[in-house]
Amino acid sequence: MSDIAERVKKIVVEHLGVDEAKVTENASFVDDLGADSLDTVELVMAFEEEFGCEIPDDAAEKILTVKDAINYIQEHG
Amino acid sequence: MVTPLGSGVDVSWRRLLDGQSGLRRITEFDVSDLPAQIAGMVPQGEEEGAFRATDFVPAKDVRKNDAFIIYGIAAATEAFRDSGIELKTEEERERAGVLIGSGIGGLATIAETAVTLEKQGPRRVSPFFIPASLINLVSGQVSIRFGLKGPNHAVVTACSTGAHAIGDASRLIALGDADVMVAGGAEAAVCRLGLAGFAAARALSTGYNDTPEKASRPWDKGRDGFVMGEGAGVVVLEEYEHAKARGARIYAEVKGYGLSGDAYHITAPAPDGDGGFRSMRAALKNAGMTPDDIDYINAHGTSTPLGDEIELGAARRLFGEAAKTLSMSSTKSSIGHLLGAAGAVEAIFSILAIRDQIVPPTLNLDDPSEGIEGVDLVPHKAREREVRAALSNSFGFGGTNASVIFARPENA
């Protein structure tokens, strides 16, 4: 689990250019980390690439926080 | 400005007057199968005068924009800071606009994304692909950064873009649409696709791959095409009374602007030079000036076999006796052809020629073509001389021509 969480957080830090300390599991991409709608699309693409999975659009729309991403990848990755 | 000579006006101008060349072999990507293997690439890195994208744009945003947008933001940032303008009220922001164009836009990004689409499918296409490539996104990005809520516009007229942008922006001010306009051009089309395309059109120099600094040689017998360059030039234009009222440092006045079309051929200039002649004539008329008033012409002068002499012929025909006393040079001999940024960068060089009373040189003019005697083309070395007013020419594919005249401000 920690491995997936670390990899997710690393992608978030790189793509949103935010301080690592801010990327807590409860952090919301849009509200807490300053992402816009295009950033969130790109983040999901980065998760797909990193974990070799495909995240359908309806599932992607529900990935709003760091925790949402980690949970989705644990279940489907 | 951002040019192959360096990042910023001071370093670019100093190196230009010094006779330095910004042209070199391309090492950023494979050019071994291309006929033209040289370009004016913006120097990047930590060396003095080199360009660092992260000085202007946060690291996370650099990869979300094609290089032409980054160069445009950088040039606009330098110009806006230098102007000292502070937009304090909503009304002031609504009276300040932006008009920065590009000839081609995000060509490298488009080429790379097309490969991604073919190899990896549509799901791997970045959501930033379109805003990273669109020509008017320089204007968009700059407006967001500086809160410019007035006219938000972009010109696309190939190699006349930069000159048209400055000319059109000055008209928007004259017509009352804005008090302040941030205007210019940006380009970064030096990529495999860009080089292959211009080479296929037989526009590029191919005979100087081993001596790149000698490749751009306007009016010289040995010229064999232009050398692609990249960068950006941006100026801040301001309504005269508005500038005076805030005590602005006024470099020059946009005195005249002329436009014309060749209606002749998609890439070749009309042999009689009629298009360039008419755009220069229109600019003079608009300025209310006579040929005697112009001391310097910054030529389009791309170093192509046809274009240079046609332009010189047009200038001679228009200026008559006055052609004998003016100086005319092509700064493309130093930086190459910046396409959509060329007219804006060269406008700044023309303005600095007025400020410093010195005309930049035409490099590599070793063996002038027959019949060009009688006009001072400023070979090899910059020369101090009186420059009351300067005219900058830009001509583009599609037969589109623009001439802009700058003059010393009245109170100087």
Side-chain angles (χ1 to χ4, degrees), chain A residues 16 39 42 45 48 55, chain B residues 60 63-64 123-124 128:
Chain A
L16 300 183
D39 288 319
E42 202 194 34
M45 285 175 61
E48 289 181 330
I55 305 174
Chain B
K60 73 180 173 70
R63 61 184 176 77
K64 294 178 189 168
R123 290 186 62 85
R124 308 306 318 158
F128 294 103

Side-chain angles (χ1 to χ4, degrees), chain B residues 65-73 101-107 131-138 185-189 231-232:
Chain B
N65 291 285
D66 188 272
F68 85 100
I69 295 179
I70 306 279
Y71 293 152
I73 292 171
S102 179
I104 303 188
L107 189 64
S133 312
L134 289 181
I135 282 174
N136 72 299
L137 260 285
V138 184
E187 202 79 79

Side-chain angles (χ1 to χ4, degrees), chain B residues 176-187:
Chain B
D177 293 297
D179 295 323
V180 174
M181 287 296 294
V182 179
E187 202 79 79

Side-chain angles (χ1 to χ4, degrees), chain B residues 312-331:
Chain B
L312 182 62
R316 269 192 167 140
R317 186 151 69 91
L318 180 65
F319 284 80
E321 279 296 302
K324 293 176 182 165
T325 53
L326 59 75
S327 295
M328 179 167 177
S329 68
S330 169
T331 45

Side-chain angles (χ1 to χ4, degrees), chain A residues 23-58:
Chain A
V23 187
T24 61
E25 296 210 351
N26 289 323
S28 153
F29 298 131
V30 173
D31 297 334
D32 301 321
L33 303 176
D36 64 22
S37 58
L38 299 181
D39 288 319
T40 57
V41 175
E42 202 194 34
L43 264 183
V44 169
M45 285 175 61
F47 296 145
E48 289 181 330
E49 191 155 23
E50 173 74 16
F51 297 100
C53 61
E54 191 166 311
I55 305 174
D57 286 353
D58 55 345

Side-chain angles (χ1 to χ4, degrees), chain B residues 37-68:
Chain B
Q37 305 176 344
I38 57 175
M41 306 290 280
V42 171
Q44 316 261 344
E46 299 304 315
E47 282 170 38
E48 192 247 326
F51 181 76
R52 283 178 301 273
T54 48
D55 287 352
F56 302 96
V57 176
K60 73 180 173 70
D61 292 337
V62 171
R63 61 184 176 77
K64 294 178 189 168
N65 291 285
D66 188 272
F68 85 100

